[in-house]
């Protein structure tokens, strides 16, 4: 019991740190505004999609590094977490960027809509990866969907409320990491 608590704490700390690195790195490299890729490729649709793939890939790669020790029985297919994250981020970010402003321009509702779309994309695609191809062998993978939606809603409310810029990316990443890391430890759990 004590060893399991220690392992959970260690995973939680790693999950937070790795998510911070992945999210901030992804933002600096691939975000729509103010990233390296935006500076090189411009602001067109193709540039945004490439940026989203890079952003999602950075998040997915760092999450993979944290997950592979906590979910050792998933190791064979866990590498697929990275491309799933790339696609999930791209779909969610493009859908959020397209549809959220159609609903509202008020920062809090805008964050909620954007968070539902981005978190829903991550949650559903990762859940499909878990259940269809076994990317992550978890006891209750369906709970990943609401965990991602809640995490991204909270993060996007903060992001839109503070004005989205690189300065706030660590805080946004921290919110997502705390919510999803808690879900992994408390509800999703290794199988």
């Amino acid at each position: 019991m004590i060893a399991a608590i220690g392992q959970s704490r260690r995973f939680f700390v790693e999950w937070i740190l790795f998510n911070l690195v992945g999210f901030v790195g992804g933002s600096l490299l691939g975000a729509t505004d103010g990233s390296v890729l935006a500076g090189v490729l411009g602001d067109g649709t193709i540039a945004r999609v490439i940026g989203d793939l890079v952003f999602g890939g950075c998040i997915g790669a760092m999450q993979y590094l944290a997950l592979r020790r906590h979910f050792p029985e998933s190791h064979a297919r866990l590498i697929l977490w990275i491309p799933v994250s790339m696609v999930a981020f791209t779909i969610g970010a493009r859908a959020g960027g397209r549809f959220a402003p159609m609903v509202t321009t008020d920062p809090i509702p805008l964050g909620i809509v954007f968070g539902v779309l981005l978190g829903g994309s991550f949650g559903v695609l990762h859940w499909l990866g878990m259940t269809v191809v076994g990317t992550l062998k978890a006891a209750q993978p369906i709970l990943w969907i609401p965990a991602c939606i809640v995490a991204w809603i909270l993060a996007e409310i903060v992001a839109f409320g503070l004005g989205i810029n690189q300065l706030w990316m660590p805080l946004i990443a921290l919110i997502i990491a705390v919510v999803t890391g808690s879900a992994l430890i408390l509800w999703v759990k290794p199988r």
Side-chain angles (χ1 to χ4, degrees):
M1 177 74 167
I2 293 174
I5 292 171
Q7 181 182 8
S8 291
R9 282 188 192 149
R10 188 169 43 257
F11 167 74
F12 190 67
V13 170
E14 287 178 11
W15 180 258
I16 289 172
L17 293 175
F18 284 40
N19 270 275
L20 283 169
V21 170
F23 199 96
V24 172
S27 179
L28 290 171
L29 291 172
T32 300
D33 300 322
S35 74
V36 171
L37 281 174
V40 172
L41 300 175
D43 191 33
T45 302
I46 293 172
R48 288 179 181 185
V49 169
I50 292 169
D52 291 342
L53 289 167
V54 169
F55 201 153
C58 289
I59 294 169
M62 295 309 290
Q63 288 179 344
Y64 161 78
L65 292 174
L67 289 167
R68 69 187 182 146
R69 288 196 323 175
H70 191 66
F71 290 79
E73 60 284 332
S74 299
H75 193 62
R77 296 195 180 171
L78 187 56
I79 194 74
L80 296 173
W81 191 267
I82 299 168
V84 170
S85 298
M86 294 170 74
V87 172
F89 189 88
T90 303
I91 290 171
R94 290 304 95 222
R98 174 85 174 141
F99 297 113
M102 293 174 146
V103 176
T104 183
T105 57
D106 185 33
I108 292 176
L110 187 63
I112 292 169
V113 174
F114 208 96
V116 166
L117 293 169
L118 198 44
S121 180
F122 262 97
V124 169
L125 289 178
H126 277 150
W127 171 76
L128 284 171
M130 289 181 220
T131 57
V132 175
V133 295
T135 56
L136 188 69
K137 297 187 186 312
Q140 299 183 58
I142 192 72
L143 295 175
W144 186 246
I145 298 171
C148 286
I149 292 171
V150 169
W152 282 91
I153 286 173
L154 295 173
E156 294 299 338
I157 287 172
V158 170
F160 283 103
L162 294 174
I164 297 176
N165 65 52
Q166 295 294 341
L167 177 67
W168 299 113
M169 290 303 156
L171 176 60
I172 295 163
L174 180 64
I175 293 166
I176 294 165
V178 167
V179 174
T180 57
S182 298
L184 283 166
I185 291 169
L186 298 173
W187 301 298
V188 179
K189 295 182 181 182
R191 186 168 35 145

